[in-house]
Amino acid sequence: MSYDDSGVRCTMLRAGTSRGLYFEAEHLPADPAQRDDLLLRLMGTPDPRQIDGLGGGTTLTSKVAVVSRSADPDVDVDYLFLQLGVDEATVSDRQNCGNILAGVGPFAVERGLVPAADDETTVRIRMVNSGSIAVATFPTPGGRVEYRGEVAIAGVPGTAAPVVLAFTDTEGSSTGALLPTGHVRDTVEGIEVTCVDNGMPVVLALAEAFGLTGYESHEELAADTGLLERVDTFRRKAAQLMGMGDVATASVPKTVLLAPPRDGGQVCTRSFIPVQPHSSIGVLGAVSVVTGMRLPGAVGHELTRSWPTDTSQVDVEHPTGHLLVDVVVDASGTPPRAERSAVVRTARKLFDGTAFPRA
């Protein structure tokens, strides 16, 4: 089959604070190498502008969801996330993406993979990258996906309908353990860290340990080439401790720097994906951050002393606003366990049609 001539059916959705191309698995080549080549040509990679493709010149807009009906009777659809490079021809399946996940349920209903209920629909999603399960619930009045609504999320203009994402079995998504090093606290490059994986492997450190306030803008961080080089070396060495091997070309683990809140939240964050600063923070990255901070002895745990005790919700500040996550951790056992995590996102369908790859 010549995709160059016929193109491939594709839906683009803004999901959370990311944008991605969504495909049914049966519409893509079965061979992973051929699939990746097609996706790179569709996205316009490699090219820092992605001018000859559908990418937006950033990692946040160079994402792909591959969705199919699941053979598991306890799951509705399987979702494979692929992170494409921008100026380098890379395709990675080593991580989940909680933002792109927000569009999987609506996409599955739009394509008839899951029947819609009359009021709201719940879709059980297996995140193929990690084998963990997410449950997405979103409005479908009259059996149609409703994207319009009153929920605002930081980093996205306007409002949209809520997509509630609840996660199960996300511990050790990429590493096999909530605490991949076996310790609550380690030292990397002379810096105290906590390495945690509850849906996304992250390395937590205090911003002050890098000589930062933690309140720097995205632009300030992006312009500090010395800092970015240090972050890259730092995360590679942390990955070795986490049993992840050589991550030179991988998008994980993420580095997240912590500081006391200053805008009414519970913690201020600056994250890197994996070296460039994030304009916000990833959904599962935020879940892992809060999970780690809830563990006694962890980096940043001291900031939780002022957190409210009557709710498990935590307001995470990031460069462009706030992200509210709900995380419950049982730290009484060895090892500790993540009991529950959830977040509210939104999504909007941008187009559905035929996409043609660059020759």
Side-chain angles (χ1 to χ4, degrees), residues 186-207:
D186 293 280
T187 302
V188 176
E189 292 281 281
I191 294 174
E192 295 289 299
V193 303
T194 291
C195 301
V196 60
D197 180 4
N198 188 22
M200 177 71 69
V202 301
V203 186
L204 304 182
L206 296 180

mmCIF file of all heavy atoms in Angstrom, residues 186-207:
data_model
loop_
_atom_site.group_PDB
_atom_site.id
_atom_site.type_symbol
_atom_site.label_atom_id
_atom_site.label_comp_id
_atom_site.label_asym_id
_atom_site.label_seq_id
_atom_site.Cartn_x
_atom_site.Cartn_y
_atom_site.Cartn_z
ATOM 1 N N ASP A 186 18.510 9.539 47.057
ATOM 2 C CA ASP A 186 19.822 9.195 46.516
ATOM 3 C C ASP A 186 20.602 10.478 46.271
ATOM 4 O O ASP A 186 20.071 11.592 46.448
ATOM 5 C CB ASP A 186 19.679 8.428 45.189
ATOM 6 C CG ASP A 186 19.054 7.054 45.367
ATOM 7 O OD1 ASP A 186 19.772 6.130 45.769
ATOM 8 O OD2 ASP A 186 17.839 6.918 45.103
ATOM 9 N N THR A 187 21.836 10.322 45.831
ATOM 10 C CA THR A 187 22.667 11.471 45.467
ATOM 11 C C THR A 187 23.163 11.288 44.039
ATOM 12 O O THR A 187 23.718 10.238 43.696
ATOM 13 C CB THR A 187 23.869 11.622 46.417
ATOM 14 O OG1 THR A 187 23.388 11.770 47.759
ATOM 15 C CG2 THR A 187 24.680 12.851 46.046
ATOM 16 N N VAL A 188 22.940 12.302 43.213
ATOM 17 C CA VAL A 188 23.392 12.299 41.822
ATOM 18 C C VAL A 188 24.142 13.600 41.567
ATOM 19 O O VAL A 188 23.600 14.693 41.777
ATOM 20 C CB VAL A 188 22.205 12.172 40.844
ATOM 21 C CG1 VAL A 188 22.692 12.261 39.402
ATOM 22 C CG2 VAL A 188 21.453 10.864 41.063
ATOM 23 N N GLU A 189 25.376 13.493 41.120
ATOM 24 C CA GLU A 189 26.185 14.684 40.843
ATOM 25 C C GLU A 189 26.234 15.614 42.050
ATOM 26 O O GLU A 189 26.205 16.851 41.906
ATOM 27 C CB GLU A 189 25.617 15.433 39.633
ATOM 28 C CG GLU A 189 25.746 14.710 38.308
ATOM 29 C CD GLU A 189 27.160 14.841 37.716
ATOM 30 O OE1 GLU A 189 27.460 15.898 37.146
ATOM 31 O OE2 GLU A 189 27.926 13.865 37.836
ATOM 32 N N GLY A 190 26.282 15.030 43.260
ATOM 33 C CA GLY A 190 26.346 15.812 44.475
ATOM 34 C C GLY A 190 25.028 16.433 44.895
ATOM 35 O O GLY A 190 24.986 17.226 45.847
ATOM 36 N N ILE A 191 23.930 16.081 44.218
ATOM 37 C CA ILE A 191 22.611 16.666 44.501
ATOM 38 C C ILE A 191 21.696 15.596 45.073
ATOM 39 O O ILE A 191 21.603 14.473 44.551
ATOM 40 C CB ILE A 191 22.000 17.260 43.219
ATOM 41 C CG1 ILE A 191 22.838 18.452 42.749
ATOM 42 C CG2 ILE A 191 20.552 17.688 43.441
ATOM 43 C CD1 ILE A 191 22.398 19.025 41.421
ATOM 44 N N GLU A 192 21.009 15.933 46.172
ATOM 45 C CA GLU A 192 20.035 15.023 46.764
ATOM 46 C C GLU A 192 18.829 14.898 45.836
ATOM 47 O O GLU A 192 18.276 15.907 45.381
ATOM 48 C CB GLU A 192 19.584 15.551 48.127
ATOM 49 C CG GLU A 192 20.687 15.602 49.169
ATOM 50 C CD GLU A 192 21.090 14.211 49.618
ATOM 51 O OE1 GLU A 192 20.248 13.487 50.158
ATOM 52 O OE2 GLU A 192 22.270 13.853 49.410
ATOM 53 N N VAL A 193 18.409 13.652 45.565
ATOM 54 C CA VAL A 193 17.312 13.410 44.635
ATOM 55 C C VAL A 193 16.383 12.339 45.180
ATOM 56 O O VAL A 193 16.775 11.528 46.033
ATOM 57 C CB VAL A 193 17.818 12.962 43.243
ATOM 58 C CG1 VAL A 193 18.774 13.983 42.658
ATOM 59 C CG2 VAL A 193 18.463 11.587 43.314
ATOM 60 N N THR A 194 15.171 12.339 44.664
ATOM 61 C CA THR A 194 14.247 11.219 44.830
ATOM 62 C C THR A 194 13.821 10.780 43.441
ATOM 63 O O THR A 194 13.328 11.597 42.650
ATOM 64 C CB THR A 194 13.021 11.611 45.674
ATOM 65 O OG1 THR A 194 13.436 11.820 47.031
ATOM 66 C CG2 THR A 194 11.971 10.500 45.647
ATOM 67 N N CYS A 195 14.034 9.521 43.130
ATOM 68 C CA CYS A 195 13.642 8.953 41.840
ATOM 69 C C CYS A 195 12.350 8.174 42.041
ATOM 70 O O CYS A 195 12.295 7.250 42.879
ATOM 71 C CB CYS A 195 14.737 8.033 41.306
ATOM 72 S SG CYS A 195 16.335 8.846 41.080
ATOM 73 N N VAL A 196 11.313 8.531 41.301
ATOM 74 C CA VAL A 196 10.001 7.918 41.500
ATOM 75 C C VAL A 196 9.340 7.685 40.149
ATOM 76 O O VAL A 196 9.537 8.449 39.199
ATOM 77 C CB VAL A 196 9.121 8.811 42.414
ATOM 78 C CG1 VAL A 196 8.920 10.181 41.799
ATOM 79 C CG2 VAL A 196 7.780 8.156 42.733
ATOM 80 N N ASP A 197 8.561 6.613 40.075
ATOM 81 C CA ASP A 197 7.892 6.242 38.823
ATOM 82 C C ASP A 197 6.470 5.789 39.134
ATOM 83 O O ASP A 197 6.224 4.637 39.460
ATOM 84 C CB ASP A 197 8.679 5.129 38.129
ATOM 85 C CG ASP A 197 8.047 4.685 36.817
ATOM 86 O OD1 ASP A 197 7.035 5.286 36.407
ATOM 87 O OD2 ASP A 197 8.570 3.733 36.201
ATOM 88 N N ASN A 198 5.536 6.732 39.043
ATOM 89 C CA ASN A 198 4.120 6.407 39.205
ATOM 90 C C ASN A 198 3.381 6.885 37.958
ATOM 91 O O ASN A 198 2.553 7.781 37.994
ATOM 92 C CB ASN A 198 3.536 7.054 40.458
ATOM 93 C CG ASN A 198 2.122 6.557 40.751
ATOM 94 O OD1 ASN A 198 1.730 5.484 40.299
ATOM 95 N ND2 ASN A 198 1.368 7.323 41.504
ATOM 96 N N GLY A 199 3.699 6.251 36.842
ATOM 97 C CA GLY A 199 3.134 6.642 35.556
ATOM 98 C C GLY A 199 4.137 7.338 34.665
ATOM 99 O O GLY A 199 3.990 7.351 33.444
ATOM 100 N N MET A 200 5.164 7.933 35.265
ATOM 101 C CA MET A 200 6.227 8.612 34.527
ATOM 102 C C MET A 200 7.474 8.614 35.401
ATOM 103 O O MET A 200 7.420 9.096 36.538
ATOM 104 C CB MET A 200 5.829 10.053 34.198
ATOM 105 C CG MET A 200 6.899 10.861 33.495
ATOM 106 S SD MET A 200 7.163 10.327 31.806
ATOM 107 C CE MET A 200 5.590 10.851 31.062
ATOM 108 N N PRO A 201 8.595 8.094 34.930
ATOM 109 C CA PRO A 201 9.819 8.150 35.735
ATOM 110 C C PRO A 201 10.361 9.575 35.804
ATOM 111 O O PRO A 201 10.617 10.195 34.773
ATOM 112 C CB PRO A 201 10.779 7.210 35.001
ATOM 113 C CG PRO A 201 10.270 7.147 33.599
ATOM 114 C CD PRO A 201 8.794 7.356 33.670
ATOM 115 N N VAL A 202 10.498 10.075 37.028
ATOM 116 C CA VAL A 202 10.997 11.429 37.225
ATOM 117 C C VAL A 202 12.091 11.429 38.282
ATOM 118 O O VAL A 202 12.155 10.547 39.133
ATOM 119 C CB VAL A 202 9.877 12.419 37.634
ATOM 120 C CG1 VAL A 202 8.784 12.485 36.592
ATOM 121 C CG2 VAL A 202 9.302 12.056 38.994
ATOM 122 N N VAL A 203 12.935 12.445 38.199
ATOM 123 C CA VAL A 203 13.982 12.669 39.187
ATOM 124 C C VAL A 203 13.678 14.006 39.854
ATOM 125 O O VAL A 203 13.671 15.048 39.181
ATOM 126 C CB VAL A 203 15.378 12.701 38.540
ATOM 127 C CG1 VAL A 203 16.455 12.798 39.610
ATOM 128 C CG2 VAL A 203 15.599 11.467 37.672
ATOM 129 N N LEU A 204 13.407 13.978 41.151
ATOM 130 C CA LEU A 204 13.063 15.176 41.894
ATOM 131 C C LEU A 204 14.303 15.751 42.561
ATOM 132 O O LEU A 204 15.086 15.023 43.173
ATOM 133 C CB LEU A 204 12.028 14.868 42.977
ATOM 134 C CG LEU A 204 10.714 14.209 42.548
ATOM 135 C CD1 LEU A 204 9.810 14.039 43.761
ATOM 136 C CD2 LEU A 204 10.025 15.034 41.486
ATOM 137 N N ALA A 205 14.457 17.068 42.457
ATOM 138 C CA ALA A 205 15.531 17.772 43.144
ATOM 139 C C ALA A 205 15.029 19.162 43.499
ATOM 140 O O ALA A 205 14.076 19.671 42.889
ATOM 141 C CB ALA A 205 16.778 17.865 42.264
ATOM 142 N N LEU A 206 15.634 19.762 44.495
ATOM 143 C CA LEU A 206 15.279 21.133 44.835
ATOM 144 C C LEU A 206 15.914 22.086 43.834
ATOM 145 O O LEU A 206 17.070 21.911 43.436
ATOM 146 C CB LEU A 206 15.747 21.469 46.248
ATOM 147 C CG LEU A 206 15.104 20.661 47.379
ATOM 148 C CD1 LEU A 206 15.675 21.108 48.724
ATOM 149 C CD2 LEU A 206 13.585 20.805 47.371
ATOM 150 N N ALA A 207 15.171 23.098 43.428
ATOM 151 C CA ALA A 207 15.688 24.072 42.468
ATOM 152 C C ALA A 207 16.945 24.745 43.002
ATOM 153 O O ALA A 207 17.890 25.009 42.244
ATOM 154 C CB ALA A 207 14.617 25.115 42.155
#
